[in-house]
């Protein structure tokens, strides 16, 4: 499916390491933040194969190594610049190649440009624009859950501008890394009721300015390609408040909603392997791109998943009969040899199937125990506005009250039902919210979570005499058949992103609701080209002669950015749209949301800002004290009297004594790389100049 964001970022970093100080052995130096970025897409062994002797972290104590060049990949932060300047002043390495993950502030640039040590030692300096984390092939995050309160918390108004600049810079990095200079459209709600109603318009403008500046200073951007010009759609969490609340019954969404995961830079689930056997063990297993079972099945509905997992596991066992528990003793050395070769892959596959069968079974247990089928029927009716027979819902209040009374329905699900009911009714009387909370036996502070939805543009409470007409849905409701299966009745809701993408694909997306940052002058948005090739005008074969896009033809890229967090159901939709319309659809966001995290973050919108522990309110990272310490003086060797060595002595057996001092390698001439073309070595400059970061 098109270009993987993981592969794209991996190749960018490896090319830079490979072609920087080309032909020389070098040290690769990271900081804590850039190390997380590199570790997300590259294994250390892959870096060490690029003439790298070792990988070091700039905040740590390191030995002097003046015989080797140093390639720095650093985050532009003040304490990191302190560490860099200390290295340059001490001449820790022979020569310095400096690469930043994103733009430096003017103060940092001046500090480096006005340093005589930097002028003498820096052979190359450039900005790479890679400050983002591909989580999946078409899912990108910034690992920044604090973005939600900074955008929507009323006490964070003074942080919004700076944070939106940072978001825009990261979105630009995603576009540049993919080689896209896209047309930009953004969500502009009609008559917004909340302060953040202008969020998308400002963010889109900042991104447009950032891309324009990058194109101005990089003549080779965007790179020439027959691919149609991409589209960037900027939305925010307020466009769809049902998506992070409703129960989704596809595998990945259910896992992140219902199971106790260990979330961090990677996601782990603790499971029991070989249960009941003598070799039973409890193991934390990663859910990621290296788990092919997870990648293939994560967007399947649970009913389809169970059948497929069992069938695939039986096929796996049939393909490896030599490892079956009841298999006969191998009869030949060749059979044993083949078994030994295949054993690691078999054991890994067996553990992965055990993991997913265990998770699927646990999900089904929760599904039945917590009355999720009954909850889902009510949720779907409220989210879609139609019942399972696609008629106007009746008696919803009575159904909700019965579920709030049910002891099998857990408290978070009760709160989700109350919030969904409030959204469905476009606000209810304040006294009714209090009655529902009391009926559900929820604490009074949960009422703040419901009220805080107003900061996201929802109407929570309404007066006794309400003359306001009910709002129209953002996108027209689709007409469904009058009858459907049970599976369809529990999965009728689709995130608003699906309707937005379908309208974009067909050229019917409302320009008033989703305006462009710039008027289209060349019609390069790929409109009205569904099921038609979108080849370049330079193509020899006319597009009217083709009925379907070729599998080898470059696909148009559509990047969807959701400010304030995205959901796994929205990620699924982007993958499905890619398959349906032969496009490359990427979802990007500050972080991924599950229902539990969304409820906590909405609840935090009314707490004191000091309790949020925002990075902006924390003490700034301090420069490690050891960088100000003097380097230890190497001990002077004491001359020893000459010792006569016989012919049979170990010294001559090992090649004899070394005479004279060891000579260091001559310093190679500096090589400069263009900032936007990794892998292409430019000519050697005649002299070093100040101003490494002038564009």
């Amino acid at each position: 499916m098109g270009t993987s964001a993981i592969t794209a970022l991996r190749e960018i970093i490896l090319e830079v390491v490979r072609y920087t100080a080309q032909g020389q052995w070098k040290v690769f130096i990271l900081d804590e933040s850039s190390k997380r970025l590199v570790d997300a897409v590259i294994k250390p062994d892959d870096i060490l194969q690029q003439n790298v002797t070792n990988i070091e972290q700039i905040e740590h104590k390191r030995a002097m190594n003046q015989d080797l060049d140093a390639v720095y990949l650093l985050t532009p932060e003040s304490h990191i610049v302190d560490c860099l300047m200390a290295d340059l002043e001490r001449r820790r390495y022979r020569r310095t190649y400096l690469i930043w993950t994103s733009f430096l502030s003017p103060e940092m640039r001046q500090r480096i440009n006005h340093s005589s040590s930097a002028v003498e030692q820096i052979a190359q300096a450039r900005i790479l624009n890679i400050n983002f984390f591909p989580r999946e092939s078409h899912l990108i995050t910034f690992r920044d859950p604090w973005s939600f309160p900074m955008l929507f918390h009323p006490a964070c108004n003074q942080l919004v501008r700076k944070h939106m600049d940072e978001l825009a810079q990261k979105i630009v990095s995603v576009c540049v890394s993919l080689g896209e200079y896209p047309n930009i459209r953004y969500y502009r709600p009609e008559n917004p009721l909340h302060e953040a109603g202008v969020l998308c318009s400002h963010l889109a403008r900042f991104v447009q300015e950032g891309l324009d500046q990058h194109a101005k200073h990089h003549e080779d951007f965007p790179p020439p390609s027959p691919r149609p010009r991409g589209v960037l759609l900027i939305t925010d969490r307020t466009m769809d408040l049902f998506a992070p609340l409703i129960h989704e019954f596809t595998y990945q969404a259910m896992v992140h909603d219902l199971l106790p995961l260990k979330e961090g830079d990677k996601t782990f689930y603790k499971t029991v392997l070989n249960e009941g056997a003598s070799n039973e063990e409890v193991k934390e297993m990663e859910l990621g791109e290296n788990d092919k079972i997870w990648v293939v099945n994560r967007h399947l509905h649970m009913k389809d998943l169970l059948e497929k997992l069992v069938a695939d596991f039986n096929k796996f066992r049939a393909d490896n009969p030599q490892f079956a528990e009841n298999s006969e003793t191998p009869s030949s050395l060749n059979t044993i040899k083949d078994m030994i070769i295949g054993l690691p892959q078999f054991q890994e596959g067996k553990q992965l199937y055990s993991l997913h069968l265990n998770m699927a079974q646990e999900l089904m247990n929760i599904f039945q125990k917590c009355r999720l089928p009954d909850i889902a029927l009510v949720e779907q009716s409220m989210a879609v506005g139609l019942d399972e027979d696609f008629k106007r819902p009746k008696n919803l209040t009575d159904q909700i009250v019965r579920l709030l009374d049910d002891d099998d329905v857990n408290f978070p699900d009760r709160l989700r039902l109350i919030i969904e009911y409030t959204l469905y009714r476009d606000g209810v009387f304040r006294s009714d919210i209090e009655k529902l909370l009391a009926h559900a036996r929820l604490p009074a502070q949960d009422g703040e979570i419901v009220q805080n939805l107003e900061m996201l543009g929802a109407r929570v409470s309404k007066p006794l005499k309400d003359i306001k007409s009910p709002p129209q849905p953002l996108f027209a409701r689709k007409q469904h058949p009058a009858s459907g299966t049970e599976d369809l009745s529990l999965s009728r809701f689709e995130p608003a992103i699906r309707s937005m993408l379908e309208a974009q694909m067909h050229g019917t997306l409302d320009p008033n609701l989703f305006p462009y940052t710039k008027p289209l002058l060349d019609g390069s948005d790929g409109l009205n080209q569904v099921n038609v090739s979108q080849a370049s005008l330079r193509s020899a074969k006319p597009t009217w002669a083709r009925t379907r896009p070729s599998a080898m033809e470059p696909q148009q890229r559509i990047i969807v950015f959701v400010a304030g967090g995205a959901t796994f159901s929205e990620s699924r939709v982007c993958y499905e749209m890619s398959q349906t319309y032969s496009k490359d659809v990427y979802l990007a966001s500050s972080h991924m949301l599950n229902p539990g995290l969304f409820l906590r973050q909405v609840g935090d919108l009314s707490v004191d800002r000091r309790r949020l522990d925002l990075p902006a309110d924390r003490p700034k990272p301090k420069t490690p004290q050891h960088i100000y310490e003097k380097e230890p003086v190497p001990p002077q060797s004491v001359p020893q009297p000459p010792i006569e060595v016989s012919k049979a002595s170990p010294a001559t057996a090992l090649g004899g004594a070394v005479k004279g001092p060891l000579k260091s390698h001559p310093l190679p001439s500096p090589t400069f790389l263009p900032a936007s073309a990794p892998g292409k070595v430019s000519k050697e400059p005649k002299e070093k100049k100040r101003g490494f970061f002038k564009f």
Side-chain angles (χ1 to χ4, degrees):
M1 182 198 295
T3 303
S4 166
I6 296 175
T7 302
L9 184 57
R10 181 179 185 274
E11 291 177 352
I12 289 171
I13 297 174
L14 285 180
E15 276 200 0
V16 165
V17 176
R18 183 182 302 122
Y19 292 108
T20 302
Q22 189 174 10
Q24 302 293 330
W25 287 99
K26 52 211 170 193
V27 182
F28 190 45
I29 300 151
L30 304 165
D31 58 58
E32 183 179 359
S33 297
S34 63
K35 184 177 185 301
R36 290 178 63 208
L37 191 153
V38 171
D39 288 346
V41 295
I42 305 177
K43 296 179 180 178
D45 287 347
D46 295 333
I47 296 175
L48 294 174
Q49 291 174 8
Q50 313 302 323
N51 275 21
V52 173
T53 59
N54 56 306
I55 302 171
E56 300 178 350
Q57 190 165 327
I58 197 169
E59 299 98 332
H60 296 172
K61 286 188 176 182
R62 291 161 287 129
M64 300 285 288
N65 203 336
Q66 296 178 339
D67 292 332
L68 291 176
D69 292 340
V71 178
Y72 290 83
L73 179 61
L74 301 178
T75 308
E77 298 178 5
S78 59
H79 69 291
I80 299 301
V81 174
D82 289 342
C83 296
L84 170 67
M85 298 306 294
D87 279 5
L88 295 172
E89 290 168 4
R90 297 181 182 191
R91 299 182 179 272
R92 187 177 296 277
Y93 303 101
R94 179 170 56 181
R95 190 162 53 181
T96 296
Y97 295 84
L98 188 54
I99 303 165
W100 299 98
T101 60
S102 59
F103 288 100
L104 287 85
S105 67
E107 295 78 17
M108 294 180 189
R109 290 188 191 183
Q110 283 189 350
R111 182 179 176 190
I112 297 173
N113 289 341
H114 288 81
S115 166
S116 58
S117 298
V119 171
E120 293 173 4
Q121 297 176 63
I122 296 179
Q124 173 207 336
R126 61 184 293 186
I127 296 168
L128 206 53
N129 284 304
I130 55 170
N131 193 16
F132 60 91
F133 297 88
R135 179 172 177 139
E136 298 173 8
S137 65
H138 286 61
L139 176 59
I140 297 166
T141 72
F142 302 153
R143 292 183 181 174
D144 186 12
W146 297 277
S147 180
F148 185 90
M150 281 196 281
L151 291 175
F152 299 111
H153 196 292
C156 295
N157 287 340
Q158 66 271 31
L159 301 177
V160 172
R161 173 56 196 259
K162 181 181 178 182
H163 180 62
M164 290 182 69
D165 282 336
E166 294 170 352
L167 285 178
Q169 194 178 104
K170 293 176 182 179
I171 297 171
V172 169
S173 294
V174 172
C175 296
V176 170
S177 297
L178 292 174
E180 290 292 338
Y181 192 1
N183 294 314
I184 302 176
R185 306 186 72 168
Y186 59 93
Y187 172 53
R188 183 172 64 186
E190 296 181 7
N191 305 316
L193 302 175
H194 57 301
E195 290 187 20
V198 295
L199 187 159
C200 293
S201 61
H202 289 312
L203 183 57
R205 178 166 53 86
F206 297 159
V207 174
Q208 185 70 70
E209 291 171 356
L211 284 169
D212 291 345
Q213 284 296 313
H214 187 84
K216 178 180 178 181
H217 297 294
H218 298 82
E219 295 180 356
D220 57 349
F221 177 79
S225 170
R227 188 189 311 276
R229 188 175 185 181
V231 179
L232 171 62
L233 295 163
I234 295 180
T235 73
D236 65 65
R237 188 65 272 152
T238 67
M239 189 178 84
D240 187 353
L241 294 177
F242 271 105
L245 291 168
I246 200 166
H247 286 85
E248 161 103 0
F249 295 127
T250 51
Y251 188 31
Q252 184 181 40
M254 285 189 77
V255 166
H256 283 272
D257 183 6
L258 304 177
L259 295 185
L261 301 177
K262 182 180 178 182
E263 297 266 17
D265 290 351
K266 297 180 179 180
T267 302
F268 294 91
Y269 178 72
K270 185 182 292 186
T271 189
V272 179
L273 302 176
N274 307 312
E275 188 172 2
S278 57
N279 59 340
E280 176 180 319
E281 64 171 321
V282 177
K283 185 176 181 180
E284 282 189 346
M285 298 187 68
E286 182 185 351
L287 301 175
E289 294 300 285
N290 294 326
D291 182 347
K292 300 306 178 185
I293 301 175
W294 173 251
V295 171
V296 170
N297 297 297
R298 60 189 167 201
H299 299 140
L300 288 181
H301 191 278
M302 278 303 297
K303 177 180 178 297
D304 301 325
L305 171 76
L306 292 171
E307 296 175 358
K308 189 172 186 300
L309 276 181
V310 172
D312 288 351
F313 180 63
N314 290 335
K315 183 179 183 299
F316 173 74
R317 294 184 62 184
D319 292 342
N320 297 274
Q322 67 273 29
F323 298 112
E325 289 80 357
N326 57 353
S327 61
E328 298 179 359
T329 304
S331 57
S332 68
L333 290 176
N334 285 335
T335 304
I336 296 174
K337 182 180 177 181
D338 292 340
M339 289 178 64
I340 292 174
I341 293 173
L343 187 59
Q345 291 84 355
F346 175 80
Q347 291 295 346
E348 180 183 359
K350 183 181 176 183
Q351 289 186 0
L352 289 176
Y353 275 109
S354 296
L355 166 69
H356 291 288
L357 289 168
N358 289 349
M359 287 201 305
Q361 185 60 55
E362 182 62 22
L363 289 173
M364 292 311 298
N365 292 341
I366 297 172
F367 181 78
Q368 298 297 338
K369 179 182 178 182
C370 296
R371 300 286 302 277
L372 294 190
D374 298 326
I375 293 174
L377 274 176
V378 176
E379 283 185 329
Q380 294 289 321
S381 296
M382 292 188 291
V384 177
L386 302 170
D387 63 16
E388 60 270 29
D389 296 321
F390 302 103
K391 298 178 181 178
R392 185 176 178 83
K394 297 180 180 179
N395 304 320
L396 269 181
T397 306
D398 293 339
Q399 296 178 53
I400 290 173
V401 169
R402 283 198 296 270
L403 288 170
L404 297 180
D405 268 339
D406 196 320
D407 291 336
D408 290 333
V409 177
N410 59 44
F411 291 110
D413 283 346
R414 298 180 192 188
L415 179 58
R416 287 161 73 172
L417 281 169
I418 294 173
I419 293 176
E420 289 160 348
Y421 179 69
T422 303
L423 295 175
Y424 165 69
R425 295 291 301 271
D426 189 37
V428 296
F429 301 140
R430 187 178 296 272
S431 59
D432 288 346
I433 295 176
E434 295 172 356
K435 291 176 183 176
L436 289 171
L437 290 169
H439 206 78
R441 288 166 286 168
L442 292 172
Q445 55 264 34
D446 282 352
E448 293 185 9
I449 300 178
V450 182
Q451 292 295 331
N452 288 350
L453 289 170
E454 291 185 345
M455 301 179 202
L456 303 181
R459 189 178 184 222
V460 173
S461 58
K462 59 184 179 182
L464 290 175
K465 294 182 179 180
D466 184 25
I467 59 174
K468 183 181 177 182
S469 58
Q472 296 300 312
L474 192 62
F475 298 98
R477 293 191 180 117
K478 298 179 182 178
Q479 296 299 318
H480 293 277
S483 61
T485 64
E486 180 182 353
D487 295 334
L488 180 61
S489 67
L490 299 182
S491 303
R492 289 170 282 135
F493 170 79
E494 285 289 357
I497 278 183
R498 176 182 288 275
S499 298
M500 178 189 72
L501 285 171
E502 287 177 342
Q504 171 64 31
M505 304 295 188
H506 290 90
T508 59
L509 190 59
D510 187 349
N512 294 316
L513 195 58
F514 290 90
Y516 291 91
T517 54
K518 287 184 175 181
L520 285 184
L521 300 178
D522 56 356
S524 58
D525 202 15
L527 302 180
N528 298 314
Q529 295 188 25
V530 176
N531 296 327
V532 179
S533 172
Q534 301 190 29
S536 166
L537 293 176
R538 296 187 296 271
S539 173
K541 189 173 182 180
T543 56
W544 52 261
R546 309 178 191 179
T547 56
R548 296 184 61 188
S550 168
M552 300 301 294
E553 186 176 313
Q555 299 177 346
Q556 184 189 29
R557 289 172 175 158
I558 298 177
I559 303 168
V560 179
F561 179 77
V562 183
T567 69
F568 291 99
S569 60
E570 291 167 335
S571 172
R572 168 184 59 80
V573 164
C574 290
Y575 281 97
E576 291 173 351
M577 292 292 99
S578 297
Q579 292 284 357
T580 302
Y581 293 98
S582 297
K583 308 275 188 180
D584 258 352
V585 183
Y586 298 87
L587 177 64
S589 187
S590 55
H591 63 297
M592 296 305 292
L593 289 168
N594 59 33
L597 176 58
F598 180 66
L599 290 176
R600 288 198 301 273
Q601 292 199 312
V602 173
D604 286 343
L605 294 180
S606 57
V607 304
D608 190 291
R609 172 177 157 178
R610 290 171 293 183
R611 292 174 52 191
L612 298 177
D613 190 31
L614 297 175
D617 294 335
R618 297 174 188 168
K620 292 185 177 181
K622 293 184 178 180
T623 307
Q625 192 61 36
H626 64 80
I627 75 164
Y628 302 111
E629 299 172 359
K630 291 184 178 181
E631 290 290 335
V633 179
Q636 298 292 329
S637 57
V638 180
Q640 297 293 331
I643 300 175
E644 294 184 3
V645 182
S646 64
K647 292 183 180 180
S649 70
T652 54
L654 292 174
V658 179
K659 297 182 179 180
L662 292 174
K663 296 182 179 180
S664 61
H665 295 287
L667 189 69
S669 57
T671 301
F672 285 71
L673 294 179
S676 59
K680 297 182 181 179
V681 182
S682 60
K683 294 182 180 179
E684 177 181 336
K686 294 182 180 180
E687 60 179 345
K688 298 179 182 178
K689 298 180 179 180
R690 293 183 181 268
F692 298 106
F693 304 103
K694 293 181 180 178
F695 296 98

